[in-house]
Amino acid sequence: MISETALLLALLALVMALAAIGIAWMMWRRSQRKLEAMSTLMRELARNRDSYRKQLEELQTANIGMGKKLNELGRYLAALREQQQELALKDPQSKLYSRAARMVQLGADVEEIMAECDMPRAEAELLLSLHRQR
């Protein structure tokens, strides 16, 4: 009887060992699938990172180009302003006409314009009629 009990216990131990091996194998397979999924995810993340890095480099290059273009436009604008100021200083007649036009807007008559801007009557009348039509 002891041998039957020992045999039964050995058989039970064998079944339990096989069940434990089966459970361990299933858990190992599950961990392998998770590991494969993580590896796939890591490869995808690395591709995305490389793509974003490339896009960032392109944006940086475009930004540098835009900055250079803005500097160039700033220099061009400064040169235009300087030219405009030089032209304004070179043509004193334009100052008189601008002043006369401003006087017309403020309601000055022909006599005032002639006196203040040292302008002939015909020019003052022409300027007055031009600016009053607007």
Side-chain angles (χ1 to χ4, degrees), residues 10-23:
L11 187 59
L12 184 61
L14 180 64
V15 169
M16 288 179 73
L18 287 175
I21 289 173
I23 291 172

Side-chain angles (χ1 to χ4, degrees), residues 31-91:
S31 67
Q32 286 298 315
R33 283 193 299 269
K34 286 183 180 181
L35 184 62
E36 288 171 8
M38 287 179 159
S39 295
T40 302
L41 181 60
M42 289 297 290
R43 283 190 298 273
E44 184 178 333
L45 288 172
R47 279 193 305 269
N48 286 343
R49 182 202 59 216
D50 293 342
S51 172
Y52 292 143
R53 182 176 290 143
K54 184 178 178 181
Q55 288 176 6
L56 181 62
E57 288 171 358
E58 290 171 357
L59 286 173
Q60 286 173 335
T61 302
N63 194 19
I64 290 170
M66 184 74 69
K68 288 178 181 178
K69 190 68 173 174
L70 281 174
N71 283 335
E72 180 183 321
L73 287 173
R75 286 191 303 272
Y76 181 71
L77 181 62
L80 284 178
R81 283 185 182 148
E82 188 175 318
Q83 286 176 357
Q84 185 180 23
Q85 288 175 351
E86 287 176 8
L87 287 174
L89 292 174
K90 284 182 182 178
D91 187 12

